[in-house]
Amino acid sequence: MRTITDLAGDGGRRGIFDELSKREVRRAALTAVAVPGYQVPFGSREMPVARGWGSGGLQVTLALVGPQDRLKVIDQGDDGGVNASNLRRLVVNHVGCQEESDTREASLIQSRHRIPETPLRADQVLVLQVPVPEPLRAVEHDVREQRRMHAEADYSRMWVGLYEDVVRNGVVTKTAGYPCMVNDRYLISPTPIPRFDVPKLDRAEQLTLFGAGREKRIYAVPPHTVVEPLVFEDIPFEVEHTPGAACRHCGSQESYLVEVPSVAGSVAWVCSDTDFCARNREKDQ
């Protein structure tokens, strides 16, 4: 005869993500890889982080990472950011994998708002946190109409929106999350990465997975997949660039730079990718 204790179990620590949930995320990820750019719904679970603060990326990472992996987590390129440090500690304590700050040595990289400057390899996986996965939300609020437009590849309203932006401002002013076509079929939002990072998705070596926990969607850009930003023939796609700007730490002019205040009150520039910047400084020593 089974006792109440037997039915209740041993009460041991179960972790933050059970195996059935991991399997569901893996199945959704496999579907996303099979149909690049398509938003696959999944049963997003409650995580020990608020929805909208990386819960989707965290679930994808937990579903893929194992004890043998070397995990790198960055927040806008910074390994030491509060968001990155907390998520990395959470995953490492749950899985028992190794922490890694060197992009070249990491097997799985979870990122918020940046793609590393160092080109990734085929044996690496990039997971991007996604706050708003639907690129059509800016031009169409009805969810049913959004689904119809994706099903029929009807993205005329997005083109009209970009055209109106050009008419008003002379250029396309949209920066973060610039809309892109995947395999000339599905329109995606590449998350709030800067336009500087969009070309890194095109025909990349690594698998890139996008996880949106609040919206319960996963989509993917498999290796060697064509990713093209929406551009007009007579208006070329341009990335962020400030003439003459260079990182005050490593002197780089080719990386994505962010402004920081200096002691003199003027503007200074530093590399957003802290690992890339540190390795550049080591080369100069």
Side-chain angles (χ1 to χ4, degrees), residues 137-260:
R137 187 167 298 177
V139 295
E140 175 55 60
H141 298 294
D142 190 313
V143 175
R144 293 170 298 180
E145 183 64 10
Q146 292 169 2
R147 292 174 180 172
R148 182 200 66 78
M149 293 167 71
H150 281 299
E152 299 177 4
D154 178 9
Y155 299 126
S156 56
R157 294 189 202 175
M158 180 61 74
W159 284 106
V160 171
L162 293 176
Y163 175 74
E164 291 176 345
D165 194 9
V166 172
V167 171
R168 292 192 187 101
N169 305 293
V171 295
V172 177
T173 58
K174 188 171 181 60
T175 55
Y178 195 94
C180 300
M181 287 295 295
V182 178
N183 263 358
D184 199 30
R185 176 56 184 88
Y186 284 103
L187 185 71
I188 69 164
S189 168
T191 86
I193 60 173
R195 289 204 292 194
F196 187 92
D197 285 346
V198 169
K200 298 177 186 177
L201 290 171
D202 185 36
R203 300 176 177 86
E205 293 287 333
Q206 83 281 354
L207 166 64
T208 304
L209 294 170
F210 302 80
R214 181 174 52 194
E215 303 287 340
K216 304 179 181 180
R217 292 289 185 271
I218 292 175
Y219 51 104
V221 175
H224 311 293
T225 299
V226 177
V227 178
E228 298 176 315
L230 295 188
V231 290
F232 298 103
E233 293 182 356
D234 56 339
I235 303 177
F237 179 76
E238 296 180 346
V239 301
E240 298 89 342
H241 176 68
T242 301
C247 176
R248 70 176 180 182
H249 297 310
C250 69
S252 173
Q253 294 181 313
E254 305 301 324
S255 59
Y256 182 71
L257 303 174
V258 293
E259 295 183 34
V260 294

Side-chain angles (χ1 to χ4, degrees), residues 44-142:
S44 179
R45 296 332 193 239
E46 292 295 333
M47 290 280 103
V49 296
R51 293 181 185 269
W53 288 88
S55 63
L58 178 59
Q59 291 178 72
V60 174
T61 296
L62 287 171
L64 299 180
V65 72
Q68 75 285 352
D69 282 301
R70 303 187 70 87
L71 175 69
K72 176 182 174 70
V73 182
I74 55 176
D75 184 357
Q76 300 194 30
D78 187 359
D79 290 270
V82 174
N83 180 274
S85 299
N86 289 337
L87 288 178
R88 181 169 55 248
R89 188 182 308 113
L90 184 66
V91 175
V92 169
N93 290 341
H94 177 65
V95 179
C97 60
Q98 295 296 313
E99 296 184 30
E100 185 58 66
S101 59
D102 191 332
T103 303
R104 300 167 300 179
E105 300 298 327
S107 58
L108 194 151
I109 302 168
Q110 179 177 329
S111 174
R112 174 177 176 264
H113 298 183
R114 279 306 315 277
I115 296 177
E117 302 290 353
T118 304
L120 303 182
R121 305 183 306 272
D123 61 339
Q124 296 177 299
V125 177
L126 175 64
V127 178
L128 289 171
Q129 301 170 204
V130 184
V132 181
E134 181 52 71
L136 296 173
R137 187 167 298 177
V139 295
E140 175 55 60
H141 298 294
D142 190 313

Side-chain angles (χ1 to χ4, degrees), residues 10-60:
D10 58 11
R13 180 173 178 270
R14 300 304 183 192
I16 59 176
F17 210 42
D18 61 89
E19 189 58 37
L20 290 177
S21 299
K22 292 180 182 179
R23 290 177 184 176
E24 181 179 359
V25 173
R26 292 186 195 119
R27 293 189 188 105
L30 286 173
T31 303
V33 170
V35 190
Y38 174 67
Q39 296 178 43
V40 182
F42 77 106
S44 179
R45 296 332 193 239
E46 292 295 333
M47 290 280 103
V49 296
R51 293 181 185 269
W53 288 88
S55 63
L58 178 59
Q59 291 178 72
V60 174

